Amino acid sequence: MRKNVIFVFVFAAVIWGLVQLHTMSLEDSKDQSFNVKGIAVVSYPASVEVRNDIPFELLINPVDKKLLPDSVDYEKFRPNLILLKKGFNEKDSIQLKEFPNIIVNALTIDSFDASILETEYAISLGKAIHNMIYENADRTSSTVSNWNELPISQINGAKVLRFEYKLESQNKKILNIIVSYLFKNDKQVEITLSSPDKNLKEWASIYDNILNNVSID
């Protein structure tokens, strides 16, 4: 069963390329929603929008891209849902240098029951996630610091493992990462936020709102 629950970290080494930054304003508007693979419904504010239309290669950190083979098919690593600032222009090289994002992935895990997280298995699972994130970072130009694993919680009937840490690139750019894994029955949903210090409060608010309102089938 453990092999089934060491999730498909589909972003592997290229995930860190998404964690780039830009400023946005939180608009007072009705939330919109997106159905992720028929597994979860994600609600999000009108200040951000779904940008699954952008070629994924454009969102990869150029520094980390140089570490990858030319033959890499970036679309294989595309998240199920990419949320960027409303009006984000992927043709603007300046915006591509700095942009925040929230990404979502969802999958069904064969022969898994979320109730197992009520046992000591949750501890070993947390360690596995910790090791996977550090190993993935080692494949890029970034290093992990300020690791923080929050106590397991529950949101809308789902068990939640949440981790917070910082990524520092070779050029000393520091990014704050918040990643939560939600489990319900045999379903897993991963929600990840990337933000610089100056935008963290604003984006963390958006992230928490999305996290607290996600509905898993």
Side-chain angles (χ1 to χ4, degrees), residues 3 44 71 83 95 101 120 138 141 163 170 188 213 216:
K3 291 183 179 179
Y44 57 93
S71 60
L83 293 172
Q95 290 190 46
N101 65 90
E120 292 183 357
D138 286 343
S141 60
F163 308 87
Q170 288 180 337
Q188 175 209 310
N213 288 286
I216 302 176

Side-chain angles (χ1 to χ4, degrees), residues 64-117:
D64 291 333
K65 215 158 145 185
K66 294 178 181 178
L67 302 175
L68 302 171
D70 294 337
S71 60
V72 169
D73 180 1
Y74 293 99
E75 290 305 310
K76 289 175 60 177
F77 301 98
R78 172 181 290 280
N80 300 147
L81 172 61
I82 301 174
L83 293 172
L84 300 175
K85 176 186 177 181
K86 189 171 185 178
F88 180 84
N89 183 3
E90 71 277 15
K91 297 180 181 179
D92 185 340
S93 60
I94 295 178
Q95 290 190 46
L96 284 173
K97 288 181 180 179
E98 295 189 324
F99 61 92
N101 65 90
I102 293 174
I103 57 175
V104 181
N105 244 346
L107 68 154
T108 299
I109 306 172
D110 293 336
S111 302
F112 177 75
D113 190 327
S115 63
I116 196 173
L117 296 177

Side-chain angles (χ1 to χ4, degrees), residues 107-165:
L107 68 154
T108 299
I109 306 172
D110 293 336
S111 302
F112 177 75
D113 190 327
S115 63
I116 196 173
L117 296 177
E118 298 172 3
T119 70
E120 292 183 357
Y121 182 76
I123 297 176
S124 62
L125 187 55
K127 290 180 180 178
I129 293 172
H130 169 277
N131 293 339
M132 184 71 72
I133 288 175
Y134 271 78
E135 289 170 6
N136 282 346
D138 286 343
R139 297 187 182 100
T140 72
S141 60
S142 300
T143 57
V144 178
S145 64
N146 295 72
W147 178 267
N148 182 29
E149 180 176 345
L150 278 66
I152 190 168
S153 61
Q154 185 163 307
I155 295 176
N156 296 331
K159 304 292 183 182
V160 183
L161 274 68
R162 175 165 169 158
F163 308 87
E164 300 175 355
Y165 57 97

Side-chain angles (χ1 to χ4, degrees), residues 202-213:
E202 180 178 38
W203 277 87
S205 177
I206 296 173
Y207 178 85
D208 285 340
N209 182 270
I210 290 173
L211 179 66
N212 290 328
N213 288 286

Side-chain angles (χ1 to χ4, degrees), residues 180-215:
S180 299
Y181 297 95
L182 296 86
F183 302 91
K184 185 176 181 181
N185 300 324
D186 61 347
K187 308 292 194 307
Q188 175 209 310
V189 177
E190 172 191 353
I191 305 177
T192 304
L193 162 71
S194 305
S195 172
D197 289 335
K198 65 180 180 180
N199 301 114
L200 182 58
K201 182 177 180 180
E202 180 178 38
W203 277 87
S205 177
I206 296 173
Y207 178 85
D208 285 340
N209 182 270
I210 290 173
L211 179 66
N212 290 328
N213 288 286
V214 64
S215 175

